[in-house]
Amino acid sequence: MPRPLWAGAISFGLVTIPVKIVSATEDHDVHFHRVHLADMGRVRTRKVCELDDQVVSQDEIGKGYEIAKDQTVPVTDEELEQMPLPTAKAIEIAAFVDSDTIDPVRISDSYYLAADGQVAAKPYTLLRRALERSSKVAVAKFAWHGRERLGLLRIWEGAIVLHSMKWPDEVRNPEELAPREVEVGEEEIEQALQLAERMTIEDLSGFHDEYREALEDIIAAKAEGKPLPAPAEDGKQEKGEVVDLMAALNASVKAAKESRGEDGESATVHEMRPSKKTAAPAKKTAASKKSTASKKPAKKTAAKKRSAS
């Protein structure tokens, strides 16, 4: 079992559930050291006091808040731990909401909550089964790493999971990022839905980090003095190239069908029929031709009158 990151309790009304927080994810990234290229010596960060220009050890470093220029107030870890907050050592459930009302953009890190001791087994199981039978998730508040946080409790694979969430005022408004309104045809939407259907899978277990694998191949080749792997071909479109949306969707659906061993010929979608708005200019042209034809006899009659005179 991974090392617990925090120990406290879930507060659920008058029910107290002793728990430990365990990280739900693992870091598999390849980490680099900063080195001096001339001799490969490690380059380390030195913590220096800007007043006396002396290197400071970790036990000499604390927290401080600048309330004005040249005036900083020290704050100790003990003072933070003793703040009069009910969430100081508890994950306090404040409410329950429908799970589909939580926007994923608000969810941050994820942790498992492990029952801490035999006394926690029954209330832990009670809360787990209550959440399993409902479509709701629990919204909680807890204090961690020097600040109060908003959390989300849900069940996954029989364990209670704690998701750290952003406060409402921490989520930026995306309205200014949305593109201007453009007209999208119904057949384009249907084709996009067909593509999504063809690309639907049952689980994500087949995904893996190809970047990390390629990076590990490069490191292994350099360590063994072998040539580096050949770079992958760049299949990106050139900047500024105009994309035919329907053609791209057709090609995408065809490729998705072929990857599943299906007949790709049926993926072709014909061009959209002109809408009434598109056909309007043609009617206008026909009307103008009719008008022109009716004016020609008038010119001929005028010519006859001049010859007669």
Side-chain angles (χ1 to χ4, degrees):
M1 181 177 177
R3 181 177 63 87
L5 305 175
W6 181 91
I10 300 175
S11 176
F12 176 30
L14 298 178
V15 178
T16 300
I17 311 171
V19 293
K20 294 180 179 180
I21 290 182
V22 179
S23 179
T25 59
E26 294 179 326
D27 182 10
H28 290 165
D29 288 347
V30 177
H31 297 277
F32 295 101
H33 293 310
R34 293 182 298 173
V35 297
H36 183 199
L37 295 177
D39 54 16
M40 290 295 109
R42 288 283 299 275
V43 176
R44 301 182 183 275
T45 301
R46 302 175 67 197
K47 299 176 181 179
V48 179
C49 175
E50 64 177 15
L51 296 181
D52 56 21
D53 200 31
Q54 297 295 314
V55 177
V56 181
S57 61
Q58 186 60 41
D59 58 359
E60 296 178 283
I61 299 174
K63 297 181 178 68
Y65 184 83
E66 186 178 41
I67 58 176
K69 189 176 181 180
D70 299 329
Q71 186 178 3
T72 301
V73 176
V75 179
T76 66
D77 292 335
E78 290 76 13
E79 290 169 338
L80 294 175
E81 291 176 359
Q82 295 172 6
M83 285 192 302
L85 281 176
T87 57
K89 278 294 182 181
I91 301 171
E92 182 182 17
I93 295 179
F96 290 84
V97 298
D98 292 331
S99 58
D100 57 3
T101 62
I102 302 296
D103 195 312
V105 75
R106 296 186 59 182
I107 296 178
S108 185
D109 298 324
S110 301
Y111 306 91
Y112 291 138
L113 296 183
D116 190 5
Q118 187 59 36
V119 69
K122 187 169 183 177
Y124 185 100
T125 304
L126 173 64
L127 177 59
R128 187 192 68 194
R129 290 186 177 176
L131 289 173
E132 284 175 338
R133 290 193 184 184
S134 70
S135 60
K136 302 184 184 301
V137 292
V139 177
K141 296 170 69 177
F142 63 104
W144 198 18
H145 292 287
R147 55 172 294 196
E148 189 173 51
R149 299 170 184 266
L150 192 63
L152 180 72
L153 298 180
R154 69 179 184 90
I155 306 302
W156 189 70
E157 298 290 339
I160 300 178
V161 181
L162 169 65
H163 298 287
S164 177
M165 291 204 304
K166 301 292 184 183
W167 294 97
D169 59 357
E170 292 181 317
V171 179
R172 294 192 179 100
N173 191 334
E175 288 184 359
E176 61 183 22
L177 306 177
R180 60 180 178 81
E181 287 294 329
V182 294
E183 187 175 346
V184 179
E186 189 63 30
E187 290 191 38
E188 292 173 316
I189 297 175
E190 289 297 328
Q191 189 70 346
L193 290 174
Q194 185 179 353
L195 175 59
E197 183 65 27
R198 294 291 175 183
M199 296 178 65
T200 299
I201 59 176
E202 295 183 357
D203 61 75
L204 303 178
S205 59
F207 284 91
H208 59 279
D209 190 346
E210 296 182 27
Y211 180 89
R212 177 169 59 89
E213 292 177 356
L215 183 57
E216 289 173 345
D217 290 342
I218 289 176
I219 294 173
K222 292 181 72 69
E224 298 172 7
K226 297 180 179 179
L228 298 183
E233 294 183 3
D234 187 3
K236 296 181 179 179
Q237 296 174 350
E238 294 183 4
K239 189 176 181 181
E241 183 180 348
V242 178
V243 178
D244 184 335
L245 185 57
M246 283 302 292
L249 285 170
N250 275 320
S252 299
V253 173
K254 184 177 180 180
K257 286 188 173 184
E258 290 176 349
S259 67
R260 289 173 176 252
E262 302 176 17
D263 183 12
E265 295 298 327
S266 60
T268 304
V269 172
H270 300 288
E271 293 184 6
M272 291 187 295
R273 298 172 182 173
S275 61
K276 293 182 179 180
K277 292 182 179 180
T278 308
K283 292 181 178 180
K284 186 176 180 181
T285 305
S288 62
K289 285 182 179 180
K290 185 177 180 181
S291 175
T292 306
S294 63
K295 289 180 181 179
K296 285 183 178 180
K299 291 182 180 180
K300 189 175 181 181
T301 304
K304 286 182 179 181
K305 286 183 180 179
R306 284 198 297 270
S307 63
S309 60

